[in-house]
Amino acid sequence: MRSARTSRPALRWSTWAILGGWLVVLAAVGPLAGQLAGEQVNDTAAYAPHDAESSQVRELLAEYGADTGLPAVVVYHRAGGLSGRDQAVVAEQQELFAAETVGVVGEPVPTPDGEAVLIVVDFDDEDAGYRGAQQLRELAETDLPAGLAVYVTGPAGFVVDSARAFLDVELTQVLATVAAVALLLLISYRSPVLWLVPLVGILVAVAAAQGVVYLLVVWLDLTISGMTQGILTALVFGAGTDYALLLTARYREELRRHADRYEAVLAAVRRSGPALLASGGTVVLAMLCLLLAEMTTNRSIGPVGAAGIVVTMLVMLTLFPAMLALLGRWVFWPRVPRYTPSPAAQPSVDEPPSVEEPRSVWHRVAQLVGRGPRPVWVVTALVLVAMSAGLLGARVGVPMSDTFTHDPPAIAGQQVLAEHYPGGSSLPADVVVAAGASEQVAELLAGVAGVAEVGEPTRYGPWEHLPVVLADPPESAAAEATVGAMRAALADRVDGVALVGGETATSVDTDAATARDVRRVIPLVLGLILLVLIVLLRAIVAPALLLGTVILSNASAFGLAWLLFDRVLGLPGFDNQAVLLGFVFLVALGIDYNIFLVSRAREEVARHGHRAGVLRALTSTGAVITCAGLILAAAFTLLGVIPVVLTVQLGFIVAVGVLIDTFLVRSLLTPALLLELGRASWWPGNPARESC
């Protein structure tokens, strides 16, 4: 007892030291969090692999002095034909653009039917194009004649719309996530005060994570988009809530075993720390696997996500327990856990509860699994397989025209261009060939279906550049198919190098790179997670079992998602990035709940035997993991407020997958399979022997 008393002042002082340390950290990196949005890059070309054909074209043209800036296309349209007043306004605005913007303003180009006219304004780079396109919209929409429509489209217009899609709803996403997490914590804890403690910890983690990521962007020259920042917010909120719920549940148990709350919180961290570190470590490793991706946007999510999880773990393992200890037992009011010197043993799931402790829902679930594990896992597996059948006929690939969930000005402008000009006239493909080969290339391309016009070549040193107008809008699937046909026509049939670039080719290359990333990253993620589980559980059978359940859970989540996207929303397919990131996040986050369950099961098996240990683990972790799953699903669902198909798909896939893991895999399938396999689950280890 004396040693316990002398340790209490040290625990109190260390608690205050932790609190002070985090205040210093927040003061240092907190102000940087607000600067992260200013580092976003939303130009598609910036994310294409450097060795992609479109990237090579862009670099060659830039190297030899060709104009490789970011053009904006201003389109004026009036059904029935432009009036004389309309044409005068267009001429006036052309002069205004030249005087007020930093771009190079071209001449107006009318359509043969007289219903539309376009002006191309070239900007030097993405930053100038972003600011310039915004300025063009403000200037062009001022004092227009009634009935004359104007749109700013082209690459610069798409950059503005992509950025606005994230920036306009960034605060909405954060506030909605805070509200959802607060509500679910309030329901879970059933305390008017306790829910504030994890919420404060999570908000600290969000601010610190964004500040750290800002430093990574500056120091490591990372390229991030608005989507990356949205994912970081969802990841920190979801993971932080998971860790908080796990620690709080364990702390409540320890308060009944320890009279001193500082000792109780220390015991809670010691007991739940290994599972929490394994869970977070799994996510970090999965995120870092993305460093091997070709796509810059996929690669950047790796260190960003890993940094977010590391910061969240540090906050929830230090600051959050410190706040709990400083606040004391009253924070659990009205259900304050009391110190019980000789706590009664937890009732067996096979025994009826006492009058004072009515049986919980999770006692009844454990009884169901314990009575017939084989029917439980067989039926659950069949349900998951049936859900997976929704993947039959699934398609992958979303053209630029379907990037947004609504039609922003850039898309609307492209639709006008497609109606009145050759579809790709505003954004011709760039074909670069060796000097002297342009005539041969022009003849070959003229015979490709989907090519409307091959322009005159321009010589740049040892290269020649041919602008090629496509018959279809540059953001359409048809235009992407034409680029593929052009490359096939030029392959092995031209003397020297012949490369096809431009905006449409960039979209083709990014889709292809992401498809390769899927094949490269996913097997590595699965292999690393298997190794983590083997080390954590000191077994081979149980880790292989858990990985198999997660793969089945993923398939069922994607199956349900495809039914929604195809039958309800009418989307053309899965976004390539949604497939990669959805799978990585689901494997990394979905395995968390199995880790929480099975690590607790291993602890209970060592004390009570295999069957009782598994069922006790299911009972004790059921409520915590269920609430954690609901909150994580809510955090990712709220990615859907961003009006971009990728984030909507990613949010839905992860949310559905987490709910499947929560209510089917972790609650029924995993414990039933562990009971079916018996003590062989822990082979070659033996928890009972290791506890001796």
Side-chain angles (χ1 to χ4, degrees):
M1 292 298 291
R2 182 176 300 172
S3 61
R5 288 195 195 98
T6 55
S7 69
R8 289 171 190 169
L11 288 174
R12 291 189 181 94
W13 279 113
S14 62
T15 301
W16 283 107
I18 289 171
L19 188 62
W22 275 108
L23 289 176
V24 172
V25 170
L26 275 182
V29 301
L32 302 177
Q35 301 180 44
L36 185 59
E39 298 296 321
Q40 293 178 12
V41 177
N42 294 290
D43 179 11
T44 305
Y47 295 104
H50 294 301
D51 59 350
E53 192 167 327
S54 57
S55 298
Q56 295 177 48
V57 169
R58 189 167 53 255
E59 291 168 3
L60 283 172
L61 292 176
E63 181 181 354
Y64 288 91
D67 179 16
T68 57
L70 196 73
V73 182
V74 186
V75 186
Y76 300 87
H77 175 255
R78 182 189 291 276
L82 298 175
S83 66
R85 172 61 180 152
D86 294 339
Q87 295 174 12
V89 167
V90 171
E92 292 170 4
Q93 291 203 344
Q94 180 202 15
E95 296 177 0
L96 184 64
F97 298 160
E100 298 290 335
T101 71
V102 297
V104 178
V105 182
E107 294 295 323
V109 180
T111 58
D113 60 13
E115 292 192 353
V117 62
L118 66 82
I119 298 174
V120 177
V121 183
D122 282 312
F123 297 98
D124 289 338
D125 51 37
E126 192 225 343
D127 191 45
Y130 174 73
R131 294 196 308 270
Q134 287 183 305
Q135 188 179 14
L136 284 175
R137 284 182 176 169
E138 294 173 2
L139 295 173
E141 293 171 357
T142 303
D143 298 329
L144 284 178
L148 178 64
V150 63
Y151 309 93
V152 177
T153 183
F158 274 99
V159 167
V160 170
D161 287 337
S162 295
R164 298 277 19 127
F166 294 100
L167 294 176
D168 288 347
V169 299
E170 181 181 344
L171 182 60
T172 302
Q173 182 205 359
V174 173
L175 292 178
T177 304
V178 169
V181 170
L183 177 62
L184 289 170
L185 284 173
L186 184 60
I187 294 172
S188 172
Y189 287 147
R190 286 172 283 178
S191 166
V193 180
L194 181 58
W195 64 277
L196 283 168
V197 185
L199 188 60
V200 169
I202 293 166
L203 291 175
V204 169
V206 170
Q210 289 183 345
V212 169
V213 169
Y214 173 81
L215 294 175
L216 291 178
V217 169
V218 174
W219 293 343
L220 303 180
D221 196 27
L222 292 180
T223 303
I224 67 165
S225 66
M227 178 196 70
T228 309
Q229 190 166 348
I231 288 174
L232 176 65
T233 300
L235 202 57
V236 173
F237 267 97
T241 307
D242 282 2
Y243 305 154
L245 288 168
L246 181 68
L247 278 165
T248 305
R250 204 62 188 251
Y251 178 48
R252 187 190 291 271
E253 291 181 26
E254 297 301 330
L255 282 172
R256 295 189 176 97
R257 299 188 180 104
H258 297 272
D260 184 83
R261 64 180 187 270
Y262 294 95
E263 294 176 359
V265 81
L266 182 61
V269 171
R270 285 174 174 169
R271 287 178 175 270
S272 57
L276 192 152
L277 290 172
S279 167
T282 299
V283 180
V284 168
L285 286 176
M287 294 295 101
L288 293 180
C289 287
L290 290 169
L291 287 171
L292 298 179
E294 291 183 41
M295 277 284 290
T296 306
T297 183
N298 293 334
R299 196 163 58 246
S300 67
I301 288 174
V304 169
I309 291 296
V310 169
V311 170
T312 304
M313 284 195 296
L314 289 174
V315 170
M316 304 317 289
L317 279 172
T318 57
L319 178 62
F320 176 61
M323 289 191 295
L324 286 177
L326 289 173
L327 289 170
R329 296 173 185 265
W330 71 269
V331 78
F332 286 91
W333 186 86
R335 298 192 304 157
V336 178
R338 303 297 181 187
Y339 170 55
T340 306
S342 301
Q346 179 183 353
S348 167
V349 294
D350 295 320
E351 299 172 357
S354 64
V355 175
E356 294 78 19
E357 186 178 357
R359 193 178 300 281
S360 70
V361 171
W362 292 103
H363 274 95
R364 291 193 287 272
V365 171
Q367 278 190 319
L368 171 67
V369 174
R371 280 197 299 265
R374 182 169 300 173
V376 168
W377 75 256
V378 168
V379 171
T380 306
L382 289 175
V383 170
L384 293 175
V385 170
M387 293 178 182
S388 306
L391 279 173
L392 296 175
R395 299 180 295 275
V396 178
V398 176
M400 279 196 297
S401 57
D402 293 312
T403 298
F404 301 95
T405 57
H406 64 288
D407 286 342
I411 293 291
Q414 285 297 136
Q415 291 170 347
V416 172
L417 289 174
E419 293 172 1
H420 298 280
Y421 297 86
S425 59
S426 63
L427 293 174
D430 296 312
V431 178
V432 173
V433 298
S438 59
E439 184 176 348
Q440 177 192 9
V441 168
E443 291 178 1
L444 287 171
L445 294 178
V448 174
V451 172
E453 178 185 345
V454 181
E456 292 297 319
T458 302
R459 185 156 181 168
Y460 297 101
W463 306 99
E464 288 183 293
H465 169 232
L466 289 88
V468 179
V469 177
L470 307 182
D472 300 291
E475 78 281 0
S476 66
E480 293 180 3
T482 301
V483 167
M486 290 167 60
R487 287 175 171 174
L490 297 178
D492 301 324
R493 297 176 63 186
V494 177
D495 298 330
V497 176
L499 304 172
V500 180
E503 290 296 315
T504 306
T506 297
S507 180
V508 171
D509 290 339
T510 54
D511 282 347
T514 303
R516 291 192 295 271
D517 288 346
V518 169
R519 296 190 294 270
R520 175 184 301 178
V521 173
I522 286 178
L524 180 60
V525 170
L526 293 175
L528 281 176
I529 287 179
L530 180 61
L531 288 177
V532 170
L533 291 173
I534 289 173
V535 172
L536 174 68
L537 301 177
R538 285 166 280 175
I540 294 176
V541 175
L545 176 70
L546 296 183
L547 196 64
T549 63
V550 168
I551 292 173
L552 182 57
S553 173
N554 265 262
S556 61
F558 276 92
L560 289 180
W562 176 244
L563 291 178
L564 174 72
F565 301 155
D566 182 45
R567 306 291 175 82
V568 179
L569 301 181
L571 297 177
F574 281 115
D575 185 282
N576 277 289
Q577 278 189 279
V579 173
L580 173 64
L581 299 178
F583 192 92
V584 170
F585 287 155
L586 271 184
V587 170
L589 298 171
I591 203 72
D592 277 6
Y593 302 133
N594 273 325
I595 287 177
F596 294 158
L597 169 69
V598 179
S599 60
R600 182 63 181 262
R602 197 178 194 285
E603 180 182 333
E604 297 290 345
V605 166
R607 294 200 297 260
H608 303 286
H610 181 77
R611 183 177 185 279
V614 170
L615 296 179
R616 284 173 180 270
L618 175 58
T619 302
S620 60
T621 63
V624 174
I625 295 178
T626 299
C627 186
L630 289 171
I631 293 176
L632 183 60
F636 272 89
T637 298
L638 289 170
L639 281 175
V641 304
I642 301 173
V644 176
V645 167
L646 167 58
T647 54
V648 171
Q649 289 191 346
L650 178 62
F652 184 83
I653 290 168
V654 175
V656 169
V658 165
L659 293 177
I660 289 172
D661 278 326
T662 301
F663 289 101
L664 293 179
V665 175
R666 184 269 314 171
S667 301
L668 300 173
L669 184 61
T670 297
L673 285 171
L674 288 174
L675 292 180
E676 177 79 13
L677 292 173
R679 286 177 293 180
S681 305
W682 311 107
W683 185 88
N686 187 332
R689 185 174 62 244
E690 293 168 9
S691 66
C692 297

